[in-house]
Amino acid sequence: MDFSWTAQQQQLRAEAKEVAADAVARYGWTADSWINGYCPPFARELAARGWIGISWPKEFGGAGRPAIDRMIIAEELIGAGAPVGSYWVAERQMGPSIFTFGTADQQQRYLPAILAGEATWCIGMSEPGAGSDLASLRTRAVRDGEDFVVNGQKIWTSFGAVSDFVYLICRTSADGPPHAGISELIVSMDSPGIEVRPIKDMAGGAHFCEVFFTDVRVPATNLVGVAGAAFKQTMRQLEHERGGIDRLVSNHALYRRALDRADMTDPLVRQEVAQLETRYRLGRLLVYREALGQAPKGFSAATKLFCTEHERKVADFTARTFGADAMLAGDVSRGLCYANSYTIMGGTSNILRNIVAERILGLPR
Amino acid sequence: MDFALSPEQAELQRTVRAFLSEKSDDAAVRRLMEAEVGYDTAVWHQMATQLGLHGLAIAEEHGGAGFGLQEQAIVFEEMGRALLCAPYFATVALAAPALALSDAAAQYLPDIAAGATIATVSTDAATAVQQRADWTLTGELDHVLDGHLADLILVSAGDGLFAVAGDANGVKRELLATMDQTRKQARLTLDSVPARRIGSAAILGQVLDIAVVLLAAEQVGGASACLEQTVEYAKVREQFGRPIGSFQAIKHTWTEMLLEVESARAAAQYAAWAADAAPEELPVAAALAKAHCSEAYARVATESIQLHGGIGFTWEHRTHLYYKRAKSSELLFGAPAAHREQLVTRLAL
C-alpha cells in the first residue's frame, strides 16, 4: 500500500487548483458544476492544456496518463465549482465508450471534437417507464436500408438542449430475452425528427430534458460495438459514471463557504464537521481505489452510494449553517434542492443497495 | 497511490490467518476468555518465535524484524477477525511503541520481541516521588489492559514515563470482570512502588496515536468477520419459504454494513500508512480512524445480532463475542466523539 502522490501528481493538483481558482474568478462558481456549469469557452481552455481526455490512450488522442490523474483534475475543478459541464459527459463516458467499442471511423469522426472541448454530448438512456431497469427500454431503432429509423422518447437527459450528439441506448430487436436486444447508436442532435423539451427541475433549473424521436434516420454506421450488446457495454460505462469523484464533490464548493461561516465553537457543529470531513476523506479513498482499478468488480455502485449519501449530508449542514438565509432563493437553497438529485441520477440509492447486495455480497434475488 | 498489499504483505496475511484459524477457533476463544490467565502460553510463544509476530515492528537492533505499522496492522486485522485472546495488544500495540521511544528500548524490547515479556501501559497517571536517584510511584490505575499478568507496566507520572515491574513490592493487582472477556483488564494500586524513569510523559501521546491505529485495524478485522459470517447466514437461513437475505430490508442493511467495513478499512490502512510514511498526517488520520472504525464495528456487530434473531442473543452463538469486543474497543482510549473533537482540533478547522 502506498497512499502518497508522486511529485508529478502533486504538481498536477497544484496546477488544477490554480486553474480552478482562475476559472471561478472569470466565469463564476456553480455548485454541481459538472451538471450546471455549461461553459464551452472553459472547455476549450482545458482542451488546450491537454486536460480533456488526459487519461485516454495516446492512440486516441489522449495523454495516456493514469485515471487517477483525471480524478485529481476533476476533484479540484468541481470542488471549486469551476464550470466543467459542457464536456463532462463526453469526456467521462462517451469518449471511452467510443474508443473501447466504436469503429475506427467513429473514433476518427467523434473523438477529436470531444478532446478539443467542442462537442457536448448527452446520454439517451432513461425512459418514462425505465430508469435503472435497462431491460425495459422501449425506444426502438428499426433497420431500413443503410439507416436505422428511431422512434421513442427519452427523459432526464442531462444537457439535452445544448448537446451536439446523443448517445442513444435503444432496442434494435424484440427477439430473445429483454436485455439482449438493446444497442447503442450515436445520433446527431440536429437530425430531423428530434424534439427536445427542457424539464424544469425543483430548483428552477433546466439541465435535463425530454427528447422525442419521430422517424429519426440514423446511419447504420453509427451503431457502436455489437448490435444487441448494449446491456454489457453500458455496464462498463456505468463503472465510469458511478464510481467517479464527481459523485463526492458536487456541492463541495458550497461546503467550503459553509465552513467559513460555521460556528466552530459549538461542540455539535464540531462533531458534525468531523463526521463530514471523515466521510469526505474516506469517499476520496474509495474513489481513488476505483480509479486505480483496485476495487472489487462492480463496487462502483457501492462507491456511488457512499459518496452521494455524503453529498446530501453536506447540503443539510450547509443549510443549517446559513440558517434563515437558506430560505431565500440562491446558491444555498439551490444546493438544498439539488441534494435530492444526487441519490437519484445514475441509479437511486435503494436500487444501488439491491445491486450491491446481490452482486458484491451475493445475497439471493 | 496504491491500495494493494505487496506480495510479502499478502503472504503475512495468509500465514497469520491460517495460524489463527487453527489456534484461535471458537472453542479456544471460549476456553481462554473464561480463564483468569486469558491466553495460551504455547500459542504465545509460537507467535513470537515461529511467526515473529511480537517483534514484527520492533527495530532489528532490538531483536525485531524492523517492519512498519502497515505490516503490524495486517496482523491486528487478523487478530480482530479471530478474536484472539492474548496480551498481544497491550504488549505490542501499547508497550512496544512506548519503549521504542524511551531510553530503555535496548533493555526491554528484545525480551518483548522474543515473547518473554508481557507488558502494558496505563492511561491513568500516578504520582512520582524522587529520593536521590530513586523514584517511587503511588496511585490508582484503572482499566489497565492485561495488567493482572503484565511483567512490565509503563505509567506516566508528572512529566515522566516510568517502568514498573509487575511483581514489584507495593503493586496490588485486581482482575476486573469485564463485558468483553476476550480482553482482560485490571485495576492496579501502586503504593510507593520502585520505578525507573525511562522517558518523558509526552511519549504516551505519540503512543496512543499508534495504538488507536492498530486498534482500528483490529476493529476492521472484527467487522469483516462479522459481516462475512452474517451474510453467509442470511443466504441459508429461511423464513416464510425463502432465504432471509432475499428480503430487501436485509439487503439494504448489509450493503450499508459493507460500506461501513470498506470505508473503515480505508481509514485504518491510510492511518497505518501515515504512521510509516507521512508522520505529519498521523494525528489527523489516527483520530479519524479511531472514531470511524469504532462506530463501524459497533454497527456491524449490532446489526449482526439483529439479523440472527433470537439465536444472536444467546451465549452459544458467536455474535455476542464480536459485539462485546466492538463495544469495548469503541470506548477504549476515548469514545468516538472525543476522537472527532480531536480531529477538528488537529485539522485546525
Side-chain angles (χ1 to χ4, degrees), chain A residues 13-128:
Chain A
R13 190 181 287 280
E15 207 182 324
K17 271 188 209 293
E18 274 179 39
V19 169
D22 174 63
V24 167
R26 287 184 293 123
Y27 299 114
W29 69 277
T30 332
D32 322 303
S33 70
W34 61 285
I35 299 161
N36 290 309
Y38 178 74
C39 183
F42 183 55
R44 287 192 290 271
E45 291 171 29
L46 289 178
R49 279 181 182 275
W51 280 10
I52 297 183
I54 191 168
S55 61
W56 293 12
K58 284 185 178 162
E59 58 187 299
F60 300 113
R65 302 265 290 269
I68 199 120
D69 286 11
R70 180 180 162 272
M71 285 287 153
I72 292 170
I73 295 172
E75 183 178 352
E76 295 304 329
L77 294 182
I78 301 174
V84 300
S86 55
Y87 70 91
W88 189 254
V89 170
E91 194 241 10
R92 175 183 73 181
Q93 220 162 322
M94 275 43 269
S97 287
I98 292 169
F99 68 64
T100 307
F101 301 112
T103 62
D105 181 57
Q106 288 165 354
Q107 288 159 358
Q108 283 159 17
R109 191 183 295 248
Y110 299 109
L111 297 181
I114 296 177
L115 289 167
E118 283 173 356
T120 298
W121 287 62
C122 58
I123 309 172
M125 191 176 300
S126 293
E127 293 185 6

Side-chain angles (χ1 to χ4, degrees), chain A residues 3 46 55 60 64 81 100 173 177 179 232 290 300 304 331 347:
Chain A
F3 295 102
L46 289 178
S55 61
F60 300 113
T100 307
S173 168
H179 64 272
K232 202 172 151 197
E290 294 284 347
S300 63
K304 186 207 175 247
D331 294 321

Side-chain angles (χ1 to χ4, degrees), chain A residues 180-192:
Chain A
I182 303 171
S183 302
E184 297 175 319
L185 288 182
I186 297 171
V187 183
S188 177
M189 285 297 284
D190 59 11
S191 309

Side-chain angles (χ1 to χ4, degrees), chain B residues 123-190:
Chain B
T123 50
D124 283 346
T127 306
V129 174
Q130 187 176 23
Q131 286 189 320
R132 285 185 226 91
D134 299 328
W135 290 91
T136 56
L137 299 189
T138 296
E140 298 263 330
L141 312 175
D142 216 349
H143 303 292
V144 182
L145 298 183
D146 299 303
H148 63 303
L149 48 72
D151 306 304
L152 174 66
I153 301 149
L154 306 183
V155 191
S156 69
D159 64 356
L161 180 67
F162 294 84
V164 173
D167 59 0
N169 280 335
V171 177
K172 193 177 129 218
R173 324 210 250 187
E174 179 193 353
L175 178 65
L176 301 171
T178 43
M179 172 178 68
D180 172 16
Q181 293 173 283
T182 64
R183 183 143 51 210
K184 307 292 185 191
Q185 295 183 14
R187 183 179 295 124
L188 306 183
T189 311
L190 308 185

Side-chain angles (χ1 to χ4, degrees), chain A residues 126-149:
Chain A
S126 293
E127 293 185 6
S132 297
D133 181 10
L134 282 186
S136 65
L137 290 184
R138 292 170 62 191
T139 294
R140 64 190 190 283
V142 177
R143 187 67 185 259
D144 178 28
E146 295 301 299
D147 294 336
F148 283 105
V149 178

Side-chain angles (χ1 to χ4, degrees), chain B residues 67-265:
Chain B
F67 284 103
L69 226 58
Q70 292 183 74
E71 284 75 18
Q72 190 67 72
I74 288 168
V75 173
F76 274 106
E77 189 174 328
E78 293 309 315
M79 290 180 171
R81 289 182 74 89
L83 290 171
L84 176 76
C85 297
Y88 186 83
F89 186 88
T91 303
V92 171
L94 277 171
L99 290 166
L101 293 166
S102 77
D103 307 328
Q107 183 188 344
Y108 293 113
L109 285 176
D111 280 347
I112 284 185
T117 294
I118 292 170
T120 190
V121 173
S122 163
T123 50
D124 283 346
T127 306
V129 174
Q130 187 176 23
Q131 286 189 320
R132 285 185 226 91
D134 299 328
W135 290 91
T136 56
L137 299 189
T138 296
E140 298 263 330
L141 312 175
D142 216 349
H143 303 292
V144 182
L145 298 183
D146 299 303
H148 63 303
L149 48 72
D151 306 304
L152 174 66
I153 301 149
L154 306 183
V155 191
S156 69
D159 64 356
L161 180 67
F162 294 84
V164 173
D167 59 0
N169 280 335
V171 177
K172 193 177 129 218
R173 324 210 250 187
E174 179 193 353
L175 178 65
L176 301 171
T178 43
M179 172 178 68
D180 172 16
Q181 293 173 283
T182 64
R183 183 143 51 210
K184 307 292 185 191
Q185 295 183 14
R187 183 179 295 124
L188 306 183
T189 311
L190 308 185
D191 182 8
S192 298
V193 178
R196 176 179 168 198
R197 193 181 193 282
I198 58 170
S200 120
I203 288 173
L204 271 197
Q206 295 178 60
V207 166
L208 279 180
D209 273 351
I210 289 170
V212 298
V213 171
L214 295 173
L215 185 62
E218 190 194 279
Q219 289 167 325
V220 169
S224 346
C226 233
L227 171 82
E228 287 160 24
Q229 290 166 18
T230 307
V231 165
E232 285 313 306
Y233 181 72
K235 288 178 190 173
V236 296
R237 165 73 171 159
E238 291 194 357
Q239 284 278 268
F240 309 105
R242 51 198 276 211
I244 59 172
S246 68
F247 291 107
Q248 203 167 49
I250 287 176
K251 286 181 178 169
H252 287 194
T253 300
W254 288 92
T255 292
E256 297 299 333
M257 295 306 111
L258 172 71
L259 279 171
E260 291 293 324
V261 172
E262 289 296 323
S263 59
R265 179 170 283 119

